[in-house]
Amino acid sequence: MRQAHRWAVGCVGFLVGLGIVGGAGGAAADNEGDKEQALPAVFQAAGPTAAAIQSTVDAFRAALGDPNNANAPGPLATGRREINWDGGGNNDTTAPLPPANPFDVFLDSRGARFTTPGTGLTQGPPDGGPQGGLAALFDNPTYGDIFSPFSPLRLFAPVGSNFVDGRFFIPGTNGAEPAAVKGFGAVFTDVDRPAGSLSGDHLRDLIPRTLITYFDADGQELFTGVVPASPGDGSLSFFGVVFAKARVARIRIISGSAAPGPDDDTQHDIVVMDDFLYGEPQPLD
C-alpha cells in the first residue's frame, strides 16, 4: 500500500496547489517527519468487477481490525463496523427505502448518521423488483446498466444532491455520544472521470469528481482523497484511509459531478455508493 499512499499524497498535494482540494491536517507540523506521521495509510483500487477491488477491501478490513462488531453496543476496544445496505431479517432487498434526511437506519446499531444537502438518502438495487429500484426512483432506466453492486443487492444514493455527510457515535447510544473512528472507506460504482485528466484546454477537467474528506471533532480537515476511476458501465472503485488512532469524527463524500436524476448526459459523471467500512467508534478525547 506504500505506493498507493505516495500517489494519493502527491495527487492531493498537486490539487492543493491548484486550490482544488485541501491537504492533510499534519501540514502545520514542525518538520517533514511529523507531517508524514500525521498522514493516514491510503487504500484504493478500481476495476470492472468486484474481484478487481476485493483484495484491497480485505486489506482495509484487516487494517481497521477484527472482528466485524456488527450491531453490538459499544464502545468496544477493537474491531470495525460495516454497512452494506442489503437489508436483513424480513427486509425486502428489492425495495428502495423512502429517502430520509437524516438517514438514521444505522445510528443506534452501528453508530453512523448520514445527511445530505438534498432531499434525502436511500438504499435500493440498481433496478428490479416491484418498485423498480434506483432506475425507477430517479426515472432513469440506464441506472440498471451503469450501476453495479459490490455486495448484492442494494446501493446507497443521495436524492437531489451528490453530497453525503457522515458522523460517528458510540453504537447503542442512539446518537447521544459523539465518537471518532480511526478510518473510513467506501465502495463506489461507475466512477468514470479520473482526476488530473485533461480534455482539450479545459482546466476544469482537472477537478476530481469523486472525493472523501475526513474531519476531526473540531471540524479541522485531516485529509482529502480522490476516489480512483475505472471507465465503463458498472465499474467499481474503493477508497479508504486508516489513521494511527481514532481521529475521524466526520466525513464528507462528493459522489460524481452531479446528482442522480432523469437528465444525465455525457457531461456528467453520476456515481452512487455501496459498502461503507469504518473503525470501531471511540469516545472523543
Side-chain angles (χ1 to χ4, degrees), residues 25 44 75 86 106 126-127 151 166 181 190 211 215-216 233 256 269 282:
Q44 59 183 332
D86 298 323
F106 299 98
D127 63 1
S151 59
V181 300
D190 205 43
L211 305 166
F215 301 90
D216 67 15
D233 291 347
D269 187 12
Q282 299 296 323

Side-chain angles (χ1 to χ4, degrees), residues 79-128:
R80 65 183 188 275
R81 303 282 170 158
E82 299 190 16
I83 301 174
N84 60 24
W85 315 111
D86 298 323
N90 296 321
N91 289 353
D92 180 358
T93 56
T94 67
L97 292 188
N101 198 17
F103 190 92
D104 283 347
V105 174
F106 299 98
L107 174 61
D108 189 52
S109 60
R110 298 178 204 176
R113 161 176 279 168
F114 302 103
T115 59
T116 178
T119 58
L121 296 137
T122 187
Q123 61 187 73
D127 63 1

Side-chain angles (χ1 to χ4, degrees), residues 8-90:
V9 172
C11 180
V12 170
F14 170 70
L15 294 169
V16 168
L18 291 176
I20 293 171
V21 301
D30 292 334
N31 56 60
E32 291 300 320
D34 290 340
K35 292 178 187 178
E36 183 65 24
Q37 192 167 5
L39 292 172
V42 175
F43 297 76
Q44 59 183 332
T49 65
I53 67 170
Q54 185 67 63
S55 62
T56 300
V57 174
D58 289 342
F60 185 73
R61 286 185 171 116
L64 290 177
D66 289 325
N68 178 356
N69 292 325
N71 296 331
L76 301 174
T78 60
R80 65 183 188 275
R81 303 282 170 158
E82 299 190 16
I83 301 174
N84 60 24
W85 315 111
D86 298 323
N90 296 321

Side-chain angles (χ1 to χ4, degrees), residues 83-98 103 105-106 122-128 131 133-134 147-157 187-189 236 272-276:
I83 301 174
N84 60 24
W85 315 111
D86 298 323
N90 296 321
N91 289 353
D92 180 358
T93 56
T94 67
L97 292 188
F103 190 92
V105 174
F106 299 98
T122 187
Q123 61 187 73
D127 63 1
Q131 288 81 18
L134 300 183
F147 297 146
S148 177
F150 175 70
S151 59
L153 295 169
R154 284 172 166 168
L155 298 168
F156 186 59
V187 174
F188 300 81
T189 180
L236 291 163
V272 299
M273 294 151 278
D274 203 345
D275 296 30
F276 285 6

Side-chain angles (χ1 to χ4, degrees), residues 130-190:
Q131 288 81 18
L134 300 183
L137 177 67
F138 292 108
D139 192 23
N140 193 321
T142 68
Y143 287 177
D145 298 319
I146 69 172
F147 297 146
S148 177
F150 175 70
S151 59
L153 295 169
R154 284 172 166 168
L155 298 168
F156 186 59
V159 180
S161 176
N162 61 322
F163 286 73
V164 175
D165 288 303
R167 292 184 180 272
F168 303 103
F169 301 86
I170 300 299
T173 68
N174 201 32
E177 296 183 26
V181 300
K182 72 175 184 178
F184 174 89
V187 174
F188 300 81
T189 180
D190 205 43

